[in-house]
Amino acid sequence: MFTYTFLCPSRTTLSLVKEPLRPISICASSKSPSPQVLTFWQWLKEEGIVSAKTPVKPAIVQEGLGLIALRDIAKNDVVLEVPRRLWINPDAAAASEVGSLCSGLKPWVSVALFLIKERLKEDSLWRVYFDILPQFTNSTIFWSENELAELQGTQLLNTTLNVKEYVQNEFSKVKEIILSDENLFPNAVTFDDFLWAFGVLRSRAFSRLRGQNLVMIPGVDLINHSSSVTTEDHAHEINGPAGLFSWDLLFSLRSPIDVKAGEQVYIQYGLKKSNAELALDYGFIESSTLNRDTYTMTLEMPDSDPFYADKLEIAESNGLEKTAYFDISMDNSIPPEMLKYLRLVVLEGADGFFLESVFRNTIWGILDSPISRDNEELVCRVVREICKSALSGYRTSNEEDMKLMARGNLDSRFEMAIKIRLAEKKILEQVDKVFAERELRLNQLEYYQERRLKELAPCKQQ
């Protein structure tokens, strides 16, 4: 009659990122960055990107590396501007030694090969930039099997494994291309090398410039994320001076908020990203006024349903498909579209008349409210079965997780795993409670026939 799955679809959109590993720091640390970072900053000076007018400097902060204001910076003031000749993107890959291998490859795969090649070159233009790139981040794609075991039952585990499988499949395809030219890659390129490149792109690439779907900007990617920044308006593409006698496209990073001298400059990595997405992309989660704890309920119409064709037509005409995804957040109401979709999918028996052509233009509006007791009872039962099945997949109870959290001084990945699974379980329990209470009120709800009689009553009196 009705099937459902629990897999949260993997997110592969890339956005500007850095590897924030810990909670946000308000002020800079006095600790100086490593010699490699200082060499990188000197390179930016030599390339004309950093000057005496540059309002920031790199520093060691709680997240790792960050940009600290040297003076007060007003909202929308320029922080850094980087010319296109230093961008790392598919165009740079195509113009490089690996360009001959990139024909027909996905853009990110081309850039991944470029990163792997340039990382090995002592004379690479980006040599000092590669020297400061991390070997890995706290992203779940770099977690060990034991660490991933702490995510048992979570949607984040499914998504992480799917992403790694996707990267492995892409590596298998491109491996033959790599082996075809020993001069380009004299040393064996491993899956770990390829995963590193993917992780760097996923955590540091920027995709909001016109026509730029995948671009790394050296220097800009030192900037960290803060939940206190509530706008994503920090990136601009402009024409400007790119040298003594040249003009080019520039990536212009602007401060989204006012910053005092000595404070860290922040941006917002994504207002709509869930904590699971933050963990997958960047290797951190946050607790903030933004409700980032979500559970994606995935619902699917079974092909065996005798009304499948009619139901699918109705769903598609209202922007949904055979498989539909609904994000449920902590303490928020059930998405109305999810209830309508469920009522449609479980519709059967005596309620089949709603699928007749006479209702085709009004059925979606009718589904705003319960249509029959049997249908609404089935909706409640299906949702509660989903919640029960999902909750049985976790390795710990809420009480056990709360005790673990109370201990304190936890490994950052272990703490992240606990918070992710605890949030998912609480949302599932919240949803189960909503529909358990609804089951108790089934006899009190008003259904289609009662509503229709009320609508017709005035007509009869006239």
Side-chain angles (χ1 to χ4, degrees), residues 99-252:
S100 60
L101 305 181
C102 294
S103 178
L105 296 181
K106 293 180 174 66
W108 80 261
V109 175
S110 297
V111 178
L113 291 180
F114 175 80
L115 290 173
I116 293 169
K117 176 61 179 177
E118 292 294 313
R119 187 189 188 192
L120 298 173
K121 290 172 58 179
E122 288 299 326
D123 61 346
S124 170
L125 172 63
W126 295 271
R127 176 68 269 159
V128 294
Y129 175 57
F130 284 105
D131 288 342
I132 69 166
L133 289 180
Q135 298 301 310
F136 56 85
T137 72
N138 264 7
S139 164
T140 53
I141 66 170
F142 294 112
W143 287 22
S144 68
E145 288 188 10
N146 287 338
E147 289 167 334
L148 287 175
E150 297 297 337
L151 292 172
Q152 180 179 315
T154 66
Q155 294 187 320
L156 177 55
L157 175 60
N158 285 333
T159 306
T160 300
L161 295 178
N162 281 346
V163 168
K164 291 191 72 171
E165 182 181 4
Y166 166 73
V167 177
Q168 179 68 67
N169 289 338
E170 291 300 320
F171 178 65
S172 297
K173 295 176 187 176
V174 81
K175 194 172 182 179
E176 292 184 9
I177 297 176
I178 295 172
L179 293 173
S180 67
D181 195 329
E182 293 183 358
N183 292 324
L184 277 179
F185 296 98
N187 299 319
V189 175
T190 67
F191 173 67
D192 286 342
D193 296 325
F194 197 67
L195 185 64
W196 168 83
F198 176 83
V200 164
L201 283 170
R202 186 148 189 136
S203 68
R204 305 182 87 87
F206 185 77
S207 61
R208 294 191 184 95
L209 295 185
R210 295 191 303 273
Q212 291 292 331
N213 294 320
L214 186 65
V215 55
M216 292 172 62
I217 314 289
V220 167
D221 57 1
L222 296 182
I223 197 163
N224 284 314
H225 161 91
S226 173
S227 60
S228 65
V229 179
T230 57
T231 175
E232 296 179 32
D233 184 23
H234 53 258
H236 302 267
E237 182 182 304
I238 63 171
N239 283 303
L244 194 58
F245 303 107
S246 64
W247 282 66
D248 197 356
L249 280 178
L250 301 177
F251 174 91
S252 182

Side-chain angles (χ1 to χ4, degrees), residues 373-418:
R373 191 190 188 286
D374 286 346
N375 181 269
E376 201 69 10
E377 183 178 17
L378 200 49
V379 166
C380 293
R381 189 191 311 163
V382 164
V383 173
R384 296 200 67 194
E385 286 176 358
I386 290 174
C387 294
K388 180 180 178 181
S389 178
L391 285 167
S392 69
Y394 298 95
R395 64 188 297 173
T396 55
S397 66
N398 287 356
E399 293 73 20
E400 289 170 328
D401 283 343
M402 294 300 290
K403 288 180 180 178
L404 289 169
M405 288 298 299
R407 292 180 186 175
N409 297 319
L410 300 174
D411 171 81
S412 61
R413 294 183 178 183
F414 185 39
E415 182 177 356
M416 198 187 311
I418 295 172

